Amino acid sequence: MTDTTQPSLSNPLALTIPQDLGGLRLDVALQRMLPDHSRSRLQAWIKEGLVTVDALPSTSKTKVWGGEQVVVEVQVKPENYAFTAEDIPLDIIFEDEHILVVNKPAGMVVHPAAGNWSGTLLNALLFHAPHLKDVPRAGIVHRLDKDTSGLLVVAKTLAAQTNLVRQLQARTVKREYRAIVWGQIWRNGVIDQPIGRDPRSRTKMAINRMGKPAVTRYEVLERFSVQTYMRCNLETGRTHQIRVHMQHLKAPIVGDPIYGFRGIVPIRAMTQTLRDEVSQFNRQALHAIKLGLLHPATDEFMEWQIELADDMKALLEAMRHEDVRDEEDFEFSFGGLSTEPYLADADYEDEDDSDFEDDDEGDDDLELEEDA
């Protein structure tokens, strides 16, 4: 039976203080015995009660004289277990010996990083297919944001991974998303605006003339009193692409905590039912619903489509039961931003982007693409 428990993040270490360290403070003696750990880290462990001397708690200033039995609960860095297999269920849409297509749920991080060293899609893949430890990034070739749900393709061999990366670079991978945005969009259109790091916030992306080319095609599927249900197709795969482009269109995605506008929710224009659904919707309403690509081994075009995520279905149902307002009576406030109707991207071509500076830390085309 396979052990699926999480690895321990502590490692008890039993030591005996040597006589030649007699007369030193406990923290100094331990630092000499454990040179791989800094003195400040050892002091923190002592303060947290993770170090005992002759089975008793102690302090950093305690003198040792040699012969004491010391137990140190060595704390292992969580990133050391980033590539550990974890028994996490996967919703597998398709699998053969070359590729794996999964439906990623909202809330799951794709690749381990600071703050998310476990519980990721990568950890789940390593449990499902242990041989992926020999494939860079466990076969992951593109990402979805943590709170974006939907389809992802994973390579199961190095050859398949190389092929998929080339397809992504050649923009032959077809990716369709569904999004629910604030406001009423009246036309289908194309957003062709470069994306790079936001010079005012290095954790965000923004329309940046010195960024990388980014193209999103969008189509109105349903229009409601204060929201629009849309189809979005990516021609490129920049970090946060759809979210940034929808913000640029002045139609931020419902639930987006980063690229939404302050005070965007028009409380007075919604029924209590819709208010409740919106308040309970705790992620951006974005779902990767369709994926198409050339199979790395057969060169045959394959396409997969899944259902809309359940939480987005519920939100849509609440929107459909709203009273539709007359178009001429509709107003939508952006807290000081323009309230003119939502138009195609061409209507914003003259917008001044002069505040954006050069950015040399954008996505590398050879690195993972982060679709949403």
Side-chain angles (χ1 to χ4, degrees):
M1 182 176 177
T2 305
D3 181 9
T4 62
T5 59
Q6 273 284 89
S8 173
L9 295 182
S10 64
N11 179 28
L13 185 62
L15 305 169
T16 300
I17 303 294
Q19 296 296 329
D20 60 352
L21 296 183
L24 297 178
R25 287 169 38 134
L26 175 61
D27 57 348
V28 176
L30 287 179
Q31 205 281 321
R32 295 188 183 182
M33 297 174 69
L34 302 171
D36 290 341
H37 302 288
S38 67
R39 185 173 170 187
S40 60
R41 178 176 297 174
L42 291 166
Q43 289 173 338
W45 292 347
I46 294 170
K47 186 176 181 179
E48 293 168 12
L50 300 173
V51 178
T52 59
V53 178
D54 291 333
L56 297 174
S58 191
T59 69
S60 296
K61 296 180 180 180
T62 298
K63 290 288 185 68
V64 291
W65 304 104
E68 292 91 344
Q69 301 300 308
V70 178
V71 176
V72 181
E73 294 284 344
V74 176
Q75 301 301 291
V76 181
K77 294 181 179 180
E79 53 264 42
N80 292 351
Y81 290 116
F83 281 72
T84 298
E86 297 179 36
D87 188 6
I88 301 171
L90 288 173
D91 183 5
I92 298 174
I93 306 301
F94 173 84
E95 182 176 16
D96 62 13
E97 63 268 34
H98 304 285
I99 61 174
L100 176 73
V101 177
V102 298
N103 178 14
K104 185 192 83 68
M108 174 182 274
V109 173
V110 172
H111 194 280
N116 294 283
W117 295 115
S118 63
T120 69
L121 177 65
L122 182 143
N123 300 117
L125 290 170
L126 290 175
F127 182 86
H128 175 75
H131 75 276
L132 286 176
K133 70 181 186 300
D134 299 321
V135 181
R137 298 189 183 95
I140 295 171
V141 294
H142 67 128
R143 308 188 198 190
L144 294 176
D145 292 338
K146 176 182 177 181
D147 288 325
T148 298
S149 54
L151 293 174
L152 273 169
V153 63
V154 177
K156 296 181 69 176
T157 67
L158 182 58
Q161 187 178 50
T162 302
N163 181 283
L164 291 174
V165 169
R166 288 174 178 169
Q167 289 191 54
L168 286 164
Q169 292 172 343
R171 303 183 183 179
T172 58
V173 176
K174 306 302 179 184
R175 289 163 287 180
E176 180 181 315
Y177 291 74
R178 298 295 169 85
I180 302 172
V181 302
W182 286 113
Q184 293 177 317
I185 296 180
W186 301 102
R187 306 179 190 173
N188 301 334
V190 179
I191 305 175
D192 186 353
Q193 294 287 344
I195 292 177
R197 292 288 177 187
D198 187 332
R200 292 176 287 273
S201 176
R202 305 302 292 176
T203 61
K204 295 173 59 178
M205 309 301 289
I207 301 298
N208 186 333
R209 288 183 182 248
M210 303 306 296
K212 295 189 176 183
V215 180
T216 303
R217 297 184 179 274
Y218 62 91
E219 176 185 346
V220 175
L221 298 178
E222 293 182 73
R223 189 183 299 111
F224 305 97
S225 60
V226 293
Q227 292 124 335
T228 303
Y229 179 42
M230 303 173 60
R231 173 188 290 120
C232 297
N233 291 94
L234 292 181
E235 292 190 8
T236 55
R238 306 304 174 205
T239 300
H240 300 173
Q241 177 172 321
I242 296 176
R243 298 166 67 187
V244 172
H245 276 173
M246 289 301 102
Q247 182 191 51
H248 169 74
L249 202 63
K250 297 184 174 66
I253 295 175
V254 172
D256 194 329
I258 298 176
Y259 300 101
F261 297 133
R262 291 185 178 180
I264 193 68
V265 181
I267 296 296
R268 295 180 181 178
M270 299 189 295
T271 64
Q272 187 61 50
T273 300
L274 184 54
R275 291 181 198 176
D276 293 342
E277 286 293 334
V278 170
S279 66
Q280 295 167 12
F281 199 90
N282 56 5
R283 68 172 180 106
Q284 61 263 12
L286 187 61
H287 180 72
I289 200 167
K290 186 186 292 186
L291 175 68
L293 51 84
L294 297 175
H295 192 280
T298 66
D299 211 32
E300 173 190 0
F301 183 76
M302 303 185 72
E303 189 173 74
W304 302 271
Q305 182 165 345
I306 56 176
E307 292 287 325
L308 191 65
D310 289 342
D311 57 351
M312 288 181 64
K313 283 183 180 179
L315 183 57
L316 278 177
E317 284 304 306
M319 291 158 54
R320 288 173 179 139
H321 285 84
E322 289 286 276
D323 292 331
V324 179
R325 295 185 167 200
D326 293 335
E327 293 180 8
E328 60 183 11
D329 295 332
F330 177 77
E331 285 188 10
F332 196 76
S333 173
F334 287 97
L337 296 175
S338 171
T339 58
E340 61 190 39
Y342 296 96
L343 305 175
D345 187 54
D347 297 292
Y348 296 99
E349 285 181 350
D350 293 332
E351 186 173 326
D352 184 10
D353 289 330
S354 59
D355 289 339
F356 290 102
E357 300 173 356
D358 192 7
D359 170 61
D360 59 359
E361 295 182 20
D363 295 345
D364 186 336
D365 286 338
L366 298 178
E367 294 294 327
L368 298 177
E369 289 204 351
E370 188 160 8
D371 297 338

